[in-house]
Amino acid sequence: MRRTLVAGNWKMFGSRALLAEVIGALRDVAGEASKVAEVALCPPFPLLAPAAELLAGSGIGLGAQNLHAAAQGAHTGEVSGAMLREAGCRYVIVGHSERRRDCAESDALVAEKAAAALREGLCPIVCVGEDAGERAAGRQFAVVERQLAAVGERLGAEGLAACVLAYEPVWAIGTGRTATPAQAQEIHAFLRARLGERDATMAAGVRILYGGSVKADNARELFAQPDIDGALVGGASLSGHDFAAICTAAEGKRWNN
Ligand code: PGA
């Protein structure tokens, strides 16, 4: 049984004022949407504590965008999973393509971060996805398979069962160029089949989100695909109106399986 999840990734955007606006809009729809879908917000670190206060009692989840692989240590500027849990997080994004690119995060490091999140009882949202050149070369399946395999080898089927996956084709992120529902479904089904090689029950339960220019006007047709279990939303999650509309679109999705 896979409950639809719509998670907002604010990246390095936002403010306390925007938190109040977006969470206000989410609270207006969450009562309805949360009957069928789960909603989460992943703001930058300094906004986690005020977000936790504003989200209290709403049923809307809180997530972070990154964590360090170590439990603690002399790592100036870094944040641990325990700190995120204490701040009220349920989720943490790992392996976002912007971090793979900007911070040279390798498949192995992403897998370590996912393991660190699980150790702290956080649900990692593990991002995979090919870039434009890789797709042009027909390598999209090989790329996401390699990225998933690194996490699978580190966590095993039991660990994977506690993760959410997000397929985010790099060429669709922030570009307004969404993957077609068929293109996304093809990769989602492929990822689920790879999970199924490890464990069929786990594969049937893991939620696979789509990310990459999800908007209010394309969410519904993406959610209609059988292996798309929700969305990781960047730009549109910075507008209370647009993010709430995507959450409402998820109502139509109900439960998978
Ligand atoms: P976008 O970002 O919705 O702005 O394309 C998605 C993401 O990077 O998670």
Side-chain angles (χ1 to χ4, degrees), residues 212-238:
S213 298
V214 176
K215 309 286 177 209
D217 59 6
N218 60 26
R220 212 170 282 275
E221 54 174 359
L222 287 161
F223 294 157
Q225 302 301 311
D227 287 292
I228 297 183
D229 305 310
L232 185 54
V233 184
S237 71
L238 294 163

Side-chain angles (χ1 to χ4, degrees), residues 9 11 96 98 168 172-175 211-215 232-236:
N9 171 16
K11 310 190 179 187
H96 192 283
E98 287 153 12
E168 298 208 307
I173 295 177
T175 59
S213 298
V214 176
K215 309 286 177 209
L232 185 54
V233 184

Side-chain angles (χ1 to χ4, degrees), residues 8-141:
N9 171 16
W10 272 17
K11 310 190 179 187
M12 200 174 71
F13 294 103
S15 60
R16 281 177 180 249
L18 191 69
L19 262 188
E21 180 207 312
V22 170
I23 292 174
L26 290 180
R27 275 181 171 276
D28 286 344
V29 298
E32 278 309 300
S34 65
K35 285 187 200 137
V36 284
E38 192 180 345
V39 175
L41 187 64
C42 306
F45 291 139
L47 296 178
L48 288 174
E53 275 179 36
L54 290 166
L55 291 172
S58 68
I60 299 166
L62 183 63
Q65 300 172 17
N66 179 40
L67 81 169
H68 196 276
Q72 61 176 13
H75 302 293
T76 302
E78 295 289 340
V79 171
S80 73
M83 293 169 188
L84 298 180
R85 192 173 30 76
E86 200 172 35
C89 290
R90 188 186 304 165
Y91 295 102
V92 59
I93 298 170
V94 299
H96 192 283
S97 60
E98 287 153 12
R99 291 200 60 84
R100 291 180 189 259
R101 180 197 66 203
D102 297 349
C103 308
E105 292 196 1
S106 64
D107 293 338
L109 180 60
V110 171
E112 283 307 319
K113 289 187 173 203
L118 291 179
R119 274 199 306 272
E120 293 300 335
L122 296 164
C123 173
I125 301 177
V126 181
C127 302
V128 300
E130 82 286 357
D131 66 24
E134 290 162 340
R135 179 160 281 261
R139 294 187 47 231
Q140 62 270 30
F141 296 103

Side-chain angles (χ1 to χ4, degrees), residues 241-254:
H241 173 271
D242 294 357
F243 193 27
I246 294 169
C247 297
T248 304
E251 280 183 61
K253 172 78 179 169
R254 310 250 161 221

